Amino acid sequence: MNWLTNWVKPKIKALVGETDVPDNLWHKCQNCGQMIFHRDLETHVHVCQHCGHHLRLPLEKRLQHLFDDGVYTKVELPRVKIDPLKFRDKKRYTDRLKEAQAKSETGEAITVAHGKVEGRPVVVAAFNFDFMGGSMGMAVGEGFLTAARLAVMQQAPLIAIPSSGGARMQEGFLSLMQLPRTTIAVEEVKEAGLPYIVLLTDPTTGGVSASFAMLGDIHIAEPGTRIGFAGRDVIEQTVRETLPEGFQTAEYLLDHGMIDLIVPRSKQRETLANLIGLLMDGKASAHSAAEKADDADEDGGDEGGLAIPTPDSGPTAGDAKPA
């Protein structure tokens, strides 16, 4: 018997009284193993100050960090049929949904919000990994479609922030149908001449990476993000070859031309604002030139008309349309 623990400690607690000490004051970095005080974690936006490892960032904190002054407006998502297949494994699917909603404090794995980034209006479709691993079902598909159509209506860029394990098995084939549906949503944004930017966060895998997550005009990733379709063991057993180390990391994909940028969390808002400025300002200039050309044609036909600049390449090519 340890008399210090079993006798002395209870006596001291009885004298001084119990104190409520939170059990989440310290967090351990999964990369270097260092302990991080919770205030330091908040200050560095869930980035380890010892090794620079990017820990997973809760959805609400990510949106607050991204939008100007942390101000944004959430969009109510369309209702879908709950548990269309009456699925049950160890638990009913409806019970799993209730547990996920209580744990994540969100209604689904996707949140659609709009606001401003460095003064520029944007629409964001962000995933919450705490909600059933950010899995994509019918509700997520409807949410992404809502985000795309809101972007077209507001003539604003669409930013997707996936963090997902893939399609939701409890909805079977209906979850797989969200792959082509989200692809069509991306096409609607592009046909409107609006930028579609993807910010890849850990992890981006499965059906999400096989659909809208890899269709962006520009792909940005956080350092160390895991990006892929199937797991390493599944791929190696299928192709019967040993795969290179780190082949599903953002750094490996950048070296092989699959993504465009790796941007640390502290620089993401600035980087997104700069990219949106380049894409949207060029689009506005092309439309302005077309409007001036139309006005010149109405005033004097071909004589004295303005030459319309027609870019041969770049993100604004093909955006110059008569108003």
Side-chain angles (χ1 to χ4, degrees):
M1 177 183 292
N2 188 333
W3 67 277
L4 286 173
T5 301
N6 297 332
W7 190 83
V8 175
K9 189 175 179 180
K11 290 292 185 183
I12 294 174
K13 282 186 175 182
L15 289 173
V16 301
E18 293 284 347
T19 56
D20 293 329
V21 179
D23 57 358
N24 59 347
L25 292 178
W26 293 88
H27 300 265
K28 186 176 181 179
C29 175
Q30 301 96 326
N31 185 55
C32 66
Q34 291 287 334
M35 298 302 293
I36 310 169
F37 190 52
H38 71 105
R39 289 179 183 170
D40 293 333
L41 197 67
E42 295 290 333
T43 301
H44 294 89
V45 205
H46 286 240
V47 177
C48 177
Q49 69 265 38
H50 304 289
C51 66
H53 176 68
H54 282 53
L55 287 77
R56 287 178 186 166
L57 185 63
L59 176 62
E60 291 295 330
K61 295 186 184 299
R62 182 177 293 282
L63 293 176
Q64 290 170 6
H65 176 66
L66 180 63
F67 287 102
D68 294 349
D69 301 320
V71 177
Y72 57 90
T73 303
K74 288 185 180 180
V75 178
E76 186 176 353
L77 303 182
R79 294 181 178 273
V80 298
K81 188 173 182 179
I82 299 175
D83 196 10
L85 304 181
K86 306 299 180 186
F87 190 93
R88 180 171 184 168
D89 43 28
K90 292 182 179 179
K91 294 181 182 179
R92 289 177 177 163
Y93 178 37
T94 51
D95 293 336
R96 292 192 181 275
L97 287 174
K98 290 175 183 177
E99 290 176 2
Q101 289 166 353
K103 176 185 176 182
S104 63
E105 298 182 353
T106 56
E108 251 298 337
I110 191 172
T111 294
V112 177
H114 61 97
K116 292 187 177 181
V117 174
E118 299 289 344
R120 296 182 178 276
V122 299
V123 176
V124 174
F127 277 63
N128 187 353
F129 193 78
D130 289 337
F131 193 104
M132 298 186 71
S135 54
M136 183 167 64
M138 292 192 298
V140 170
E142 286 292 337
F144 194 84
L145 278 166
T146 299
R149 287 164 183 171
L150 179 62
V152 173
M153 184 179 71
Q154 294 186 354
Q155 285 295 290
L158 175 61
I159 301 174
I161 309 178
S163 177
S164 174
R168 190 172 298 174
M169 58 171 266
Q170 289 87 350
E171 295 186 19
F173 183 72
L174 296 172
S175 67
L176 297 179
M177 287 302 297
Q178 308 315 308
L179 277 68
R181 294 186 77 225
T182 53
T183 301
I184 292 170
V186 170
E187 287 303 311
E188 289 183 8
V189 174
K190 293 185 176 183
E191 286 175 3
L194 298 168
Y196 171 54
I197 301 173
V198 182
L199 172 58
L200 299 159
T201 66
D202 186 69
T204 300
T205 58
V208 169
S209 68
S211 55
F212 69 89
M214 300 307 292
L215 296 176
D217 298 314
I218 297 175
H219 291 96
I220 303 171
E222 292 186 334
T225 296
R226 182 175 38 174
I227 305 165
F229 181 68
R232 182 189 186 94
D233 292 343
V234 173
I235 299 174
E236 287 185 337
Q237 291 172 13
T238 302
V239 302
R240 300 182 184 279
E241 290 185 13
T242 301
L243 299 169
E245 193 65 31
F247 79 105
Q248 288 183 323
T249 61
E251 289 74 13
Y252 185 92
L253 295 182
L254 178 66
D255 290 341
H256 290 77
M258 290 294 291
I259 62 175
D260 302 298
L261 296 167
I262 295 178
V263 181
R265 206 165 279 162
S266 59
K267 300 287 185 183
Q268 286 172 8
R269 186 196 302 176
E270 177 186 353
T271 301
L272 286 168
N274 290 337
L275 290 172
I276 292 168
L278 289 170
L279 296 171
M280 293 298 289
D281 291 349
K283 178 177 180 293
S285 298
H287 279 289
S288 178
E291 289 174 359
K292 290 179 180 179
D294 283 347
D295 292 341
D297 287 341
E298 290 176 3
D299 292 340
D302 293 333
E303 295 181 4
L306 297 176
I308 304 175
T310 54
D312 295 326
S313 62
T316 61
D319 283 336
K321 300 178 183 178

